[in-house]
Amino acid sequence: MDIAEQLSIEEQGLKQQLHDTWCAGNYSSVARTLEPSALQFLARHPVRAGAMVLDVACGSGQVALPAARAGAKVWGIDIAGNLIEEARGHAEQEGLAARFEVGDAESLPYGDNSFDQIYSVIGAMFAPRPERVVAELTRVCRPGGEIVMANWTPEGFVGHFFKTVARHVPPPPMPSPLMWGTESRVRERFAERPVDLHFDRQLFEFRYPYTPEEVVGFYRQNFGPVVRAFAALDAAGQAALHADLVQLWRDYNLADDGTTHTQGEVLEIVAVPQ
């Protein structure tokens, strides 16, 4: 039985909503701005040469492709087919040992104990059923392997970004993805799994060569959740959301030269199955 048959009508509708959200705009252009931080993440949690590596909710490959360049055998999976096609194109151009496919973090199409290392950087945290994500990540990771995640925290800039959007457009009916950035909640989610857990907090950098107002325009055009939020509002609602987002970027801007620089806090999680 495939996942579509297992889900209720309501759950299928939610899955479709999430799919449409992450296919909207051009997320890879947003992800590229975070590539330096993604590479720093990989430096903190290095890929083992020759390892079997899975990148869950891989987007267009900002983690999977560097992992393949480091000598790993890489699989990447994401619900957004447009991003998977882009990742495949990059892998083919470079001749990398990386395979990308459309799929669901809650129903991974791989056998038990298939991977030495599993990564999910600002990805699987957006799946609607976290208990299924935990079950699948621990199922496909070999004992003694690593499950490594980086998730936005509720307290950081990105947490406030999503809360700002949610004040104007109700979020989908699912647990807040930001709970993946809370250590106590992550411990609860892995509590019934035989894993050793380790946590660290790091900062991802957002740097744009334009003003906060121009940054909001960039996100309005390219970042799926913002694209969809603006599309759901009338003209007055769009103006109000725009003003609040501009103010948020101004409040967190560390630059004073007409550009925009802020930092988003992530909770980095390392789970080692026993």
Side-chain angles (χ1 to χ4, degrees):
M1 181 182 297
D2 65 25
I3 190 167
E5 293 172 327
Q6 297 176 42
L7 297 176
S8 68
I9 296 299
E10 292 79 9
E11 288 171 325
Q12 290 182 46
L14 176 57
K15 290 282 186 179
Q16 187 63 49
Q17 180 182 352
L18 295 170
H19 170 271
D20 293 347
T21 293
W22 293 106
C23 286
N26 180 16
Y27 178 71
S28 62
S29 67
V30 178
R32 278 194 293 272
T33 68
L34 291 173
E35 282 182 354
S37 292
L39 293 176
Q40 291 171 3
F41 167 86
L42 282 175
R44 292 190 292 272
H45 308 283
V47 173
R48 305 167 191 164
M52 303 284 281
V53 171
L54 175 64
D55 185 2
V56 179
C58 64
S60 53
Q62 279 69 34
V63 170
L65 295 171
R69 293 182 194 117
K73 298 176 182 178
V74 177
W75 280 255
I77 190 166
D78 199 283
I79 62 170
N82 57 331
L83 300 179
I84 288 296
E85 287 300 319
E86 185 172 343
R88 285 174 179 162
H90 290 309
E92 289 172 3
Q93 288 173 8
E94 296 187 45
L96 296 174
R99 174 181 174 181
F100 294 94
E101 53 196 327
V102 176
D104 193 324
E106 298 179 358
S107 183
L108 296 172
Y110 312 110
D112 296 356
N113 306 326
S114 293
F115 297 98
D116 303 300
Q117 294 175 284
I118 300 174
Y119 294 94
S120 187
V121 177
I122 313 166
M125 65 178 291
F126 292 101
R129 298 185 297 175
E131 72 283 357
R132 290 299 307 154
V133 172
V134 169
E136 287 294 272
L137 293 179
T138 53
R139 179 183 67 79
V140 302
C141 188
R142 292 172 180 162
E146 291 182 327
I147 301 164
V148 189
M149 303 179 76
N151 303 319
W152 300 124
T153 67
E155 306 88 358
F157 165 74
V158 179
H160 290 288
F161 179 93
F162 280 112
K163 291 171 187 175
T164 298
V165 174
R167 289 201 302 269
H168 295 265
V169 178
M174 56 181 275
S176 170
L178 296 172
M179 291 299 95
W180 273 109
T182 303
E183 183 176 333
S184 59
R185 186 62 61 90
V186 174
R187 289 190 182 278
E188 290 173 4
R189 290 174 175 175
F190 280 94
E192 297 182 4
R193 307 287 168 178
V195 300
D196 289 335
L197 285 172
H198 307 274
F199 298 93
D200 190 21
R201 288 178 182 259
Q202 295 287 341
L203 295 174
F204 276 28
E205 302 288 339
F206 294 82
R207 295 181 185 271
Y208 299 98
Y210 29 83
T211 67
E213 185 163 9
E214 291 168 331
V215 172
V216 173
F218 172 77
Y219 273 73
R220 183 172 178 173
Q221 181 177 0
N222 294 294
F223 187 52
V226 175
V227 174
R228 299 271 291 182
F230 274 98
L233 296 169
D234 60 18
Q238 291 179 6
L241 176 56
H242 176 85
D244 283 353
L245 288 175
V246 170
Q247 189 60 53
L248 180 74
W249 282 96
R250 286 174 177 165
D251 289 344
Y252 279 85
N253 191 13
L254 301 173
D256 58 4
D257 59 356
T259 67
T260 303
H261 169 214
T262 191
Q263 297 170 318
E265 184 184 57
V266 294
L267 179 68
E268 293 187 352
I269 304 159
V270 180
V272 180
Q274 302 305 299

